[in-house]
């Protein structure tokens, strides 16, 4: 099949697959300025940590272009307003570190070239946004190759949320490994968790699996526990939104539950995430801010109420899987193994 | 508040709260013959093991009334057709043992009185159906009192699926204990799992909790794991659809997952079920037939597709929690504790 292109920048427009309406409709959401980009991230037109990072890079570029047009001869005001615009983008969602990483990269480039001619500066920012996007695709292919080494022939794989082409610049993290295993003829079978409350598993992962023709079944999240106990799962692959210095990994709500059951029943549990998802500045998962989203995500589906009006809701979007539940963290630089603090410190030194 | 009357038989009509349309609408479904009753059980107009049992009792009575009118002077044909009608009702759902228990009770009464005059026979069957209903309510109140002894003051309780007035003849099993704790001023707080795929937690338990004014929040099923780990849950209460001779308990899909996480983090996990839910004929949970329901329960909500057309689904309605994950089984005769095989054998001897 043709590659799924979820993020594309051309003719000065950022074109995103609108993931809010999949799989019913394949529509595109166009961002013409950085406010559109902030909305797209916040409202989950685009989601998935690496995809958010790549999207934010173009948001920073679009901000620079707009503010440069507004203040062509006042570089100081331009820089002050750019600072505010970058902060605005940075705050669109709190948990995925790739967002902060991409904004920091754009910010550094801006600082390094702040005295360049306007055209040159914009060109550099645009080129850097392209690099973030393209490097993510490359990174995913390298992760997929590393990850594929732990997938047995004929394996049944369990995955959670969407970590595919839609969650990244292309190919995917955990779903990239699944693609690779399928493409290398391993004859795999996939169980996809529906991933409440936003059903990224039923809406997005199912769609990608069907596009690729990978044999698979959709389950409600809690069915996974029985499959794991009954020996029906050979390996679990999930993505991550932020990995702490000790290997604790924040990912979509439900990941932690899987990791507990996997550990009790001895099923290998891998986190697949690029090194851009590692937050070298925090020591453990306790420092990760967990986004709470609206009650409506739980009480309504497609606008239809499934709970009584006024019912209180607790809706954290992510949970933290402790490093001791993780068999390995698959990165583009190889598979990290416990003790993670050491493995991650080594990575930090190599940067 | 007024008691919730989910099952009521009067003027020869069985009136059920239609649980398929709650909480949006409070509508009643009227069963005028045993085919209506079979449909109501199969399509989950009524659900919850004890409620299914009570409903089936009236189904058997309605069958007897209809077939007696059809064959007023041919008792032999009447009995042959009754046998078929009882089997038809018995097969409406496979997992809840209360259904089989109630049908067996009606069948025995029919056999014991098969030579009685028509009026007398029907009167006996009608009275037995009333008894099944009324005894369930009594049983629930006794379970609630026993269960309440393990609820600390100010406890935060986690529950799964709906086990309330809607799941029983009245008051509830696990939710009956919650009602009792609330009514005795224990100042409790409840987290209710939404319970995918049919959302009995968001639709039904939330509705009952709000009707009672019990402080509570709704969560997606997998959020429970984080709450348990973080010490936010003092006790977990669930119902059961069938308990085996060794204490293994089949209950709504998702229960097993909770039990694993509860055990790892040392949170008490109680099954609340009347002795009618115990299947004394089976040794372990391995013998329990787990109903698989349609893909559409997972791929559609309120008729709206949330997964791509043609996606395969695995949709077991129940899972089995092994007895070693259960802190106690609260019955109307007291709280059973491990070793369960012995405790349940003793109950069987008392019958």
């Amino acid at each position: 099949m043709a590659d799924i292109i979820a993020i594309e920048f051309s003719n000065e427009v950022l074109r995103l697959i609108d993931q809010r309406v999949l799989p019913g409709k394949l529509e595109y959401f166009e961002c013409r300025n950085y406010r559109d980009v902030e909305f797209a991230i916040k409202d989950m037109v685009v989601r998935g940590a690496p995809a958010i990072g790549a999207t934010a890079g173009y948001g920073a570029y679009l901000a620079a272009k707009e503010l440069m047009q507004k203040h062509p001869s006042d570089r100081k005001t331009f820089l002050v307003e750019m600072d505010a615009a970058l902060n605005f983008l940075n705050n669109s969602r709190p948990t995925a570190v790739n967002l902060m990483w991409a904004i920091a990269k754009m910010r550094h480039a801006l600082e390094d070239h702040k005295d360049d001619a306007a055209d040159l500066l914009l060109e550099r920012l645009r080129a850097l946004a392209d690099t973030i996007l393209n490097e993510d695709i490359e990174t995913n292919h390298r992760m997929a190759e590393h990850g594929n080494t732990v997938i047995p022939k004929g394996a049944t794989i369990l995955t959670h949320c969407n970590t595919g082409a839609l969650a990244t610049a292309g190919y995917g993290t955990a779903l990239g490994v699944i693609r690779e295993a399928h493409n290398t003829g391993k004859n795999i079978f996939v169980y996809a968790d529906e991933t409440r409350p936003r059903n990224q598993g039923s809406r997005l992962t199912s769609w990608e699996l069907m596009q690729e023709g990978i044999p698979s079944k959709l389950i409600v999240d809690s069915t996974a526990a029985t499959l794991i106990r009954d020996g029906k799962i050979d390996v679990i692959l999930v993505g991550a939104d932020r990995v702490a210095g000790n290997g604790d990994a924040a990912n979509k709500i439900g990941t932690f539950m899987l990791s507990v059951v996997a550990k009790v029943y001895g099923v290998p549990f891998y986190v697949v995430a690029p090194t851009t998802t590692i937050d070298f500045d925090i020591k453990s998962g306790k420092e990760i801010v967990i986004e709470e989203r609206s009650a409506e995500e739980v009480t309504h589906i497609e606008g239809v109420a499934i709970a009584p009006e006024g019912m209180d809701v607790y809706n954290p979007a992510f949970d933290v899987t402790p490093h001791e539940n993780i068999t390995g963290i698959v990165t583009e630089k190889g598979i990290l193994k416990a003790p993670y603090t050491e493995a991650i410190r080594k990575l930090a030194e190599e940067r």
Side-chain angles (χ1 to χ4, degrees), chain A:
Chain A
M1 55 147 260
D3 282 352
I4 297 165
I5 308 289
I7 305 169
E8 191 174 29
F9 193 80
S10 68
N11 297 323
E12 302 300 291
V13 174
L14 179 64
R15 205 173 84 127
L16 304 170
I17 289 184
D18 189 342
Q19 301 188 33
R20 298 170 306 176
V21 299
L22 277 177
K25 292 180 237 170
L26 179 57
E27 284 179 1
Y28 291 87
F29 182 92
E30 296 193 339
C31 303
R32 292 169 187 278
N33 58 55
Y34 72 94
R35 288 169 300 277
D36 293 347
V37 172
E38 192 266 353
F39 175 83
I41 295 172
K42 195 167 60 185
D43 211 49
M44 297 175 67
V45 171
V46 61
R47 25 65 52 204
I52 290 172
T55 301
Y58 289 108
Y61 162 70
L62 287 170
K65 201 179 74 161
E66 176 178 329
L67 297 173
M68 193 64 91
Q69 276 165 354
K70 199 172 154 197
H71 306 292
S73 52
D74 182 355
R75 188 59 62 93
K76 203 176 153 194
T77 305
F78 164 79
L79 288 170
V80 168
E81 293 194 7
M82 265 309 284
D83 188 55
L86 292 175
N87 289 341
F88 175 70
L89 286 165
N90 208 46
N91 292 332
S92 51
R93 289 192 72 191
T95 304
V97 77
N98 313 59
L99 169 63
M100 294 84 191
W101 171 86
I103 293 294
K105 240 178 137 71
M106 297 301 284
R107 196 188 291 276
H108 289 147
L110 182 67
E111 276 161 19
D112 289 350
H113 301 284
K114 65 174 189 282
D115 299 321
D116 286 8
D119 282 6
L120 189 60
L121 175 55
L122 291 180
E123 200 176 291
R124 282 185 195 282
L125 293 177
R126 160 70 201 265
L128 180 56
D130 287 343
T131 300
I132 290 172
L133 183 82
N134 293 329
E135 281 189 355
D136 187 57
I137 300 176
E138 267 309 297
T139 293
N140 290 345
H141 282 285
R142 284 201 295 276
M143 276 191 295
E145 283 167 23
H146 290 302
N148 196 19
T149 62
V150 305
I151 308 299
K153 272 190 188 166
T156 297
I157 302 169
L158 174 68
T159 191
H160 191 69
C161 199
N162 174 263
T163 58
L166 294 166
T168 60
Y171 211 64
T173 57
L175 196 44
V177 176
I178 289 170
R179 279 200 160 86
E180 191 76 7
H182 176 71
N183 292 342
T184 54
K186 282 197 174 160
N187 203 20
I188 56 166
F189 187 90
V190 175
Y191 281 103
D193 279 354
E194 65 168 349
T195 317
R196 286 286 294 153
R198 288 185 69 108
N199 294 89
Q200 290 92 339
S202 22
R203 290 178 194 278
L204 309 178
T205 301
S206 295
W207 186 74
E208 290 199 40
L209 289 167
M210 288 187 76
Q211 295 267 324
E212 298 277 5
I214 300 174
S216 50
K217 281 190 183 183
L218 178 65
I219 55 174
V220 300
D221 302 325
S222 65
T223 296
T226 297
L227 291 173
I228 292 169
R229 176 187 59 188
D230 292 348
K232 302 227 171 106
I233 305 295
D234 298 302
V235 54
I236 299 171
L237 299 176
V238 298
D241 290 76
R242 195 186 299 211
V243 176
N246 67 346
D248 291 354
N251 191 44
K252 181 56 51 196
I253 189 80
T255 306
F256 166 61
M257 176 267 278
L258 289 181
S259 80
V260 173
V261 182
K263 196 180 184 196
V264 168
Y265 292 97
V267 173
F269 181 94
Y270 288 92
V271 170
V272 186
T275 55
T276 53
T277 300
I278 300 173
D279 187 344
F280 296 96
D281 294 337
I282 61 171
K283 283 197 184 118
S284 90
K286 293 203 176 77
E287 297 173 58
I288 299 175
V289 178
I290 298 295
E291 176 181 13
E292 278 188 44
R293 296 184 62 89
S294 74
E296 213 187 339
E297 288 189 350
V298 179
T299 58
H300 288 67
I301 293 187
E302 299 278 348
V304 179
I306 54 168
E309 212 185 308
M311 183 67 188
D312 276 347
V313 172
Y314 173 56
N315 181 26
F318 304 94
D319 56 27
V320 175
T321 296
H323 58 88
E324 63 266 25
N325 289 6
I326 300 171
T327 309
I329 302 176
V330 180
T331 75
E332 75 278 17
K333 297 190 171 163
I335 302 178
L336 309 184
K337 289 278 191 172
Y340 292 107
T341 304
E342 205 172 296
I344 290 171
R345 193 186 308 122
K346 213 175 280 174
L347 271 185
E349 285 163 9
E350 286 169 13
R351 276 193 306 174

